[in-house]
Amino acid sequence: SQQGEEDPQALSIQEGENATMNCSYKTSINNLQWYRQNSGRGLVHLILIRSNEREKHSGRLRVTLDTSKKSSSLLITASRAADTASYFCATDIRGGADGLTFGKGTHLIIQP
Amino acid sequence: DTAVSQTPKYLVTQMGNDKSIKCEQNLGHDTMYWYKQDSKKFLKIMFSYNNKELIINETVPNRFSPKSPDKAHLNLHINSLELGDSAVYFCASSRLTSGGAETQYFGPGTRLLVL
């Protein structure tokens, strides 16, 4: 069964604006990870946030985690055309032994 | 140097055939995975494997079987291919710690088309 649900499913913004994507999940997690997938390519890891963490930063990326609401958000600040991609959240439920459970993804388009 | 590599990149074949996809990782990770991404981009875990345990997603048909000749390789064999098997298959690897799975590194994907 699907664990993560991202919203929105698609997002189009102007270059320079901030983009926020949300992810909700159903069961308790070990950690939550965000990945980016450019069209026709593999997945690239962005950030891992553990269940006992609330916020993490990496460059222009900021991830929050609210385990009480079973939700996470990914914020990309000062967006660039190169940020155009699909973004997926993925949850690690059983300590990685049985892989990650992915959401459906948010397709982000940055208009130049 | 490619961390996780898959071959072939593209695979076009007829229904009923048997095919294999190879995966190799040079990261020294102890756990490898296979995921399937369908036409709607939904990614689903198929298998996870380390030297102690093979975990199979119960929805995966038994026509699919992973084979690991050593810790750096996890190949995917598919028997009697069906039209619905058309998808992109991703191999991934990670290191398991007491804190759970660390970052997963994905291969570039194998685009399978069954005619």
Side-chain angles (χ1 to χ4, degrees):
Chain A
S1 63
Q2 187 179 324
Q3 165 79 322
E5 290 272 356
E6 287 95 333
D7 88 274
Q9 289 188 4
L11 179 61
S12 180
I13 60 174
Q14 294 295 123
E15 196 166 20
E17 293 180 340
N18 295 342
T20 300
M21 288 159 272
N22 302 298
C23 168
S24 60
Y25 56 91
K26 297 174 185 173
T27 65
S28 295
I29 61 171
N30 200 50
N31 66 55
L32 184 145
Q33 304 179 29
W34 283 90
Y35 287 82
R36 183 187 74 224
Q37 184 179 33
N38 290 83
S39 180
R41 306 291 292 274
L43 285 90
V44 174
H45 176 84
L46 297 176
I47 288 186
L48 181 154
I49 186 164
R50 300 191 190 283
S51 59
N52 61 354
E53 297 176 313
R54 291 297 166 257
E55 188 170 312
K56 246 185 157 173
H57 297 254
S58 176
R60 294 182 297 112
L61 307 181
R62 173 176 164 252
V63 166
T64 63
L65 178 65
D66 186 335
T67 52
S68 66
K69 294 181 180 178
K70 291 187 170 56
S71 67
S72 173
S73 68
L74 169 66
L75 169 68
I76 304 174
T77 60
S79 62
R80 305 168 182 168
D83 294 330
T84 294
S86 291
Y87 291 81
F88 295 89
C89 70
T91 51
D92 169 26
I93 299 170
R94 206 165 74 88
D98 47 5
L100 298 175
T101 303
F102 280 83
K104 290 184 178 177
T106 293
H107 186 53
L108 176 64
I109 298 173
I110 308 298
Q111 309 275 7
Chain B
D1 289 340
T2 305
V4 182
S5 59
Q6 294 177 229
T7 54
K9 192 172 181 181
Y10 299 97
L11 183 54
V12 181
T13 188
Q14 299 288 329
M15 251 183 2
N17 284 351
D18 302 337
K19 290 293 178 186
S20 295
I21 306 172
K22 294 185 177 180
C23 177
E24 177 181 2
Q25 54 96 3
N26 62 6
L27 298 166
H29 288 161
D30 54 10
T31 305
M32 296 182 72
Y33 312 84
W34 277 103
Y35 291 86
K36 177 182 180 181
Q37 187 173 43
D38 63 22
S39 58
K40 295 182 180 178
K41 288 197 166 184
F42 182 51
L43 271 152
K44 194 168 187 180
I45 181 71
M46 299 177 71
F47 305 100
S48 68
Y49 180 79
N50 62 28
N51 58 1
K52 299 174 187 174
E53 191 177 15
L54 169 66
I55 299 177
I56 303 171
N57 185 310
E58 68 273 10
T59 65
V60 175
N62 58 15
R63 297 181 295 103
F64 291 78
S65 57
K67 288 190 172 42
S68 180
D70 55 58
K71 284 178 67 173
H73 297 83
L74 184 66
N75 303 325
L76 182 64
H77 296 266
I78 317 171
N79 295 326
S80 302
L81 277 155
E82 300 178 357
L83 295 177
D85 298 333
S86 296
V88 182
Y89 293 84
F90 288 99
C91 177
S93 71
S94 74
R95 186 169 56 92
L96 288 188
T97 68
S98 58
E102 297 299 316
T103 299
Q104 291 200 7
Y105 291 83
F106 282 77
T110 295
R111 284 144 190 84
L112 172 65
L113 177 61
V114 182
L115 303 174

